[in-house]
Amino acid sequence: MTETLFQAYTPLILWIGLGLLIFRFLPTWLPQFLGRGLYWVGVPLELVALARKGSQNELGGAGSTPILASLITFLALLLGLVAALLVWWGWQQISPHLFKPDLSESVARPWLDSSTKGSFLLAAVLGNTGFVGLAIAPFLIHVDSLNWVVLFSITHNVIGPYGIGVLIASYFSHTKSNNRWWMQLWDLLTVPPLWAFLIGTLTQQVKLPDVVEAGLQGSVDIVIACAFLLTGIRLAQLQRWQSFQLALIPTVLRVVITPLLVGLVTTVFLGLSGDRRLAMVLMSGMPSAFAGLILAEEYNLNRDLIASSIMLSTLLLLLILPLWIQVFG
């Protein structure tokens, strides 16, 4: 498992480290330009490439996977969202008693800022089931249960970052005075990655020139590297440790609380056991998604909180994985 984690984390460490090193030499507009470029061009190209591979995957055929795996994926997203909303509400209730009265409201209660609320929810709800999840799972889950892993990742990426995630980001990017339900609906219907996934799925049987197909598949690695690089740049731009302090809570929700709830529900109510249960627990406890930072760039949310959550949750995963294997394996 150590070798597996090392292989999965090496690109992450290299590209984030590069972002930390070169950020001082970059123009101030580049991070937002990179984030918006990923949202409008990079991620759609990646999803077209992945969708064109079809439902059969080298990790195991997802076609025979029960619909139960998709339902558990949706349940994991719902549990994460409900837990995050409850914690957020609780913090609002107790925060006035934790700070000195002479502090301004924006300093004493930073979560009252709408952009921070949106980033908090994105960091707590959305997981990196693609790069990290699919890289680790094959070495921890028996091959007969890998189809559960694949379908969890596909379902999460379709309805998670560019479904629920877009609704959250859109809602908290507007002020209360001009926020209307049709704004979120319009953003959801026009989100580029979802249309790209649909196009890729519908053109699976369309033969493209080899050079075009190779370029599409090669775009996946480029998009992943750019997402890591953007995270490193945003981490290097942090001005104070407050973002890391706030990020501790969505980190624990993402990597500890949500997978624990999924493990209990699948055991007690669904009767799952063994590798199928472990697959659902592992995938529901992946680190905060890089897609959250891309959405924060596009909708002008709190980038610092998202970047800090990605870093902390990725590190915490290393400590918590052996526990999930022992308890739910």
Side-chain angles (χ1 to χ4, degrees), residues 69-82:
S70 294
L71 295 177
I72 294 174
T73 308
F74 181 78
L75 175 65
L77 288 166
L78 182 62
L79 288 173
L81 180 59
V82 170

Side-chain angles (χ1 to χ4, degrees), residues 64 83-84 119 189 214 266 288 301 326:
S64 60
S119 292
L189 293 177
T266 53
S288 297
L301 301 181
Q326 183 67 30

Side-chain angles (χ1 to χ4, degrees), residues 65-323:
T65 303
I67 196 65
L68 182 60
S70 294
L71 295 177
I72 294 174
T73 308
F74 181 78
L75 175 65
L77 288 166
L78 182 62
L79 288 173
L81 180 59
V82 170
L85 288 171
L86 288 175
V87 170
W88 166 25
W89 176 83
W91 176 265
Q92 288 184 310
Q93 304 307 308
I94 66 174
S95 60
H97 308 289
L98 300 179
F99 301 95
K100 296 179 181 179
D102 57 338
L103 291 178
S104 67
E105 188 176 72
S106 62
V107 175
R109 303 180 67 184
W111 286 9
L112 288 179
D113 176 66
S114 181
S115 68
T116 302
K117 295 175 184 177
S119 292
F120 172 83
L121 293 176
L122 292 177
V125 174
L126 305 180
N128 193 335
T129 62
F131 177 75
V132 178
L134 292 182
I136 294 175
F139 298 90
L140 304 176
I141 305 297
H142 192 272
V143 66
D144 292 339
S145 299
L146 281 178
N147 48 1
W148 288 63
V149 171
V150 173
L151 191 55
F152 190 109
S153 180
I154 293 173
T155 306
H156 182 279
N157 286 324
V158 171
I159 68 175
Y162 303 109
I164 295 174
V166 167
L167 291 177
I168 293 173
S170 175
Y171 179 82
F172 287 102
S173 67
H174 301 289
T175 60
K176 289 184 178 180
S177 60
N178 65 354
N179 212 340
R180 301 291 185 271
W181 65 268
W182 55 264
M183 293 180 176
Q184 283 75 60
L185 179 61
W186 173 256
D187 285 342
L188 181 62
L189 293 177
T190 57
V191 62
L194 285 183
W195 282 101
F197 183 81
L198 179 62
I199 292 172
T201 302
L202 294 177
T203 60
Q204 285 179 357
Q205 307 304 321
V206 177
K207 179 67 174 178
L208 296 177
D210 292 342
V211 64
V212 175
E213 193 67 53
L216 277 176
Q217 300 305 323
S219 69
V220 175
D221 292 333
I222 297 175
V223 170
I224 291 173
C226 288
F228 292 167
L229 184 66
L230 177 62
T231 303
I233 295 172
R234 285 304 185 188
L235 285 172
Q237 292 177 331
L238 294 179
Q239 298 297 317
R240 53 182 181 269
W241 286 95
Q242 186 185 54
S243 294
F244 278 104
Q245 293 171 345
L246 288 176
L248 284 174
I249 301 176
T251 291
V252 173
L253 286 170
R254 172 98 290 276
V255 183
V256 180
I257 303 301
T258 298
L260 179 61
L261 292 174
V262 169
L264 294 175
V265 169
T266 53
T267 301
V268 176
F269 297 102
L270 301 179
L272 289 184
S273 62
D275 276 17
R276 291 181 176 181
R277 178 178 61 185
L278 179 60
M280 298 295 94
V281 171
L282 290 179
M283 295 299 282
S284 63
M286 286 296 110
S288 297
F290 293 98
L293 184 56
I294 295 174
L295 290 173
E297 296 287 354
E298 175 64 23
Y299 288 93
N300 198 29
L301 301 181
N302 188 328
R303 290 94 162 171
D304 292 352
L305 178 55
I306 293 280
S308 302
S309 298
I310 291 172
M311 178 61 70
L312 291 180
S313 60
T314 302
L315 295 174
L316 183 58
L317 177 66
L318 297 174
L319 302 177
I320 205 70
L321 268 180
L323 178 62

